[in-house]
Amino acid sequence: MSIAALFWTLRPHQWVKNSFVLVPLVFSKHLLTSTYVVTALGALGLFCLASGVVYLINDLVDVERDRNHPVKRNRPIAAGELSIGAARLAAAVLGPSVLLGGYLLSRPLALVLAGYITLNLFYSIVLKHLPYLDVLSIAAGFLLRVLGGALALGVPASTWLLVCTGLLACYLGLGKRAHELANLGDEARKARAVLARYRLAHVEIVMLVTAVATLAAYVTYTVSAETQTHFGTRYMAATGPFTLIGLLRFYQLVTRPHRKSSPTDEMLRDPLFMGNIALWAAAAVLALRGLQVVEDAVDE
């Protein structure tokens, strides 16, 4: 078995999606508590392995179709760099190991990990063939990441947090479909059968509606009395403009043609998108800590 081929089959460049596991840590006000940080990182690592198992199984299921895809044919299993037998063995070992690790870290986390893997197996067999339900199943995977992070830490996942996560995940999933339709053209059906049942114009409209709903939910969350009481600040709304910029930039990245990399690669390689995320993070930290410190000093 080629360790390098197995590693790339686990899609480490896609693990950034699992950062949603850390969201409950950020919003729990325990970001600087070492025990919480270690637990959250452990949950993150388990979700990275769980998603790797899902990719392994998905590549096994789609191996013949991937061989006809202009980009996916270079994946280790489709290219013959990782044998089907070796891939099956790796999935059989890693799957139970992930569940055991989740059980040792937090019993509820193990259940969420099992649900995440089951959902994605169902996706690979059935849901990926159903338009829009495939996107909803992707969004459900993001919700499970957030729930897993919250359960591992023993902190509540607020309703607003779940609503914002679900809407954003739907937006990202629709963006993936738009990206495929915009770039593959007539070859889209060969690459992914469900794309024959999508229309780019329709996906773009649904994306815009979802973007508006996502922004509205996020802004409502930042200005809600519950949020202001929880964080002790009224300045989180200042992060709203960066959220808007991020949503619009993602739409631009995934809907323009002649881009061959995945939406995740597009985001990670785009200076404007990544710079905007950095500014959002800085604004959030300033809103939660800096401005409140200044305000308290003035009051004194």
Side-chain angles (χ1 to χ4, degrees):
M1 179 187 298
S2 171
I3 299 301
L6 174 60
F7 178 72
W8 289 115
T9 302
L10 300 181
R11 310 274 213 289
H13 62 288
Q14 296 284 358
W15 290 352
V16 65
K17 299 174 184 177
N18 294 312
S19 60
F20 276 73
V21 175
L22 302 178
V23 171
L25 172 67
V26 175
F27 289 96
S28 69
K29 299 193 295 185
H30 292 293
L31 187 57
L32 300 180
T33 305
S34 59
T35 54
Y36 281 82
V37 172
V38 171
T39 300
L41 291 177
L44 173 63
L46 289 171
F47 265 95
C48 287
L49 288 178
S51 63
V53 171
V54 169
Y55 285 127
L56 262 173
I57 296 172
N58 188 65
D59 285 0
L60 285 168
V61 172
D62 288 346
V63 61
E64 295 301 328
R65 185 177 295 275
D66 286 352
R67 286 170 178 163
N68 295 319
H69 190 281
V71 176
K72 294 179 181 180
R73 64 187 179 190
N74 296 317
R75 290 175 176 174
I77 297 177
E81 297 172 4
L82 181 65
S83 70
I84 291 178
R88 287 174 176 169
L89 175 62
V93 171
L94 288 176
S97 298
V98 167
L99 297 180
L100 177 60
Y103 180 83
L104 294 175
L105 188 63
S106 167
R107 293 183 182 181
L109 175 61
L111 293 176
V112 173
L113 286 166
Y116 175 83
I117 294 175
T118 301
L119 170 67
N120 282 278
L121 289 176
F122 192 49
Y123 170 85
S124 296
I125 298 171
V126 177
L127 293 176
K128 71 177 182 180
H129 301 295
L130 304 175
Y132 296 102
L133 284 179
D134 60 336
V135 172
L136 289 176
S137 68
I138 292 173
F142 280 93
L143 285 173
L144 287 174
R145 290 177 173 98
V146 173
L147 282 174
L151 290 172
L153 295 174
V155 299
S158 72
T159 301
W160 278 115
L161 179 60
L162 294 176
V163 169
C164 290
T165 298
L167 288 170
L168 178 59
C170 285
Y171 183 68
L172 296 175
L174 289 165
K176 181 177 177 63
R177 294 294 175 263
H179 186 273
E180 292 169 331
L181 290 167
N183 289 291
L184 296 177
D186 294 337
E187 299 296 317
R189 183 174 182 176
K190 294 181 181 179
R192 193 187 298 273
V194 74
L195 292 177
R197 304 172 68 180
Y198 277 103
R199 295 294 180 269
L200 180 58
H202 297 167
V203 174
E204 290 177 348
I205 292 172
V206 178
M207 278 190 71
L208 290 174
V209 172
T210 307
V212 171
T214 302
L215 181 63
Y218 179 77
V219 171
T220 303
Y221 164 72
T222 61
V223 301
S224 69
E226 177 186 352
T227 299
Q228 293 182 9
T229 300
H230 178 69
F231 290 110
T233 179
R234 61 179 183 274
Y235 297 115
M236 274 297 289
T239 62
F242 301 106
T243 303
L244 173 60
I245 292 172
L247 291 170
L248 292 176
R249 183 56 177 171
F250 178 78
Y251 180 87
Q252 183 181 31
L253 289 173
V254 299
T255 56
R256 61 186 181 184
H258 310 304
R259 311 285 291 191
K260 299 302 182 183
S261 56
S262 71
T264 301
D265 292 336
E266 295 280 10
M267 290 186 290
L268 294 177
R269 295 174 183 176
D270 183 64
L272 176 57
F273 188 88
M274 296 306 296
N276 182 69
I277 288 180
L279 289 174
W280 175 89
V285 171
L286 185 60
L288 294 175
R289 303 292 297 178
L291 289 178
Q292 195 64 39
V293 170
V294 172
E295 189 177 76
D296 291 343
V298 172
D299 291 340
E300 291 177 2

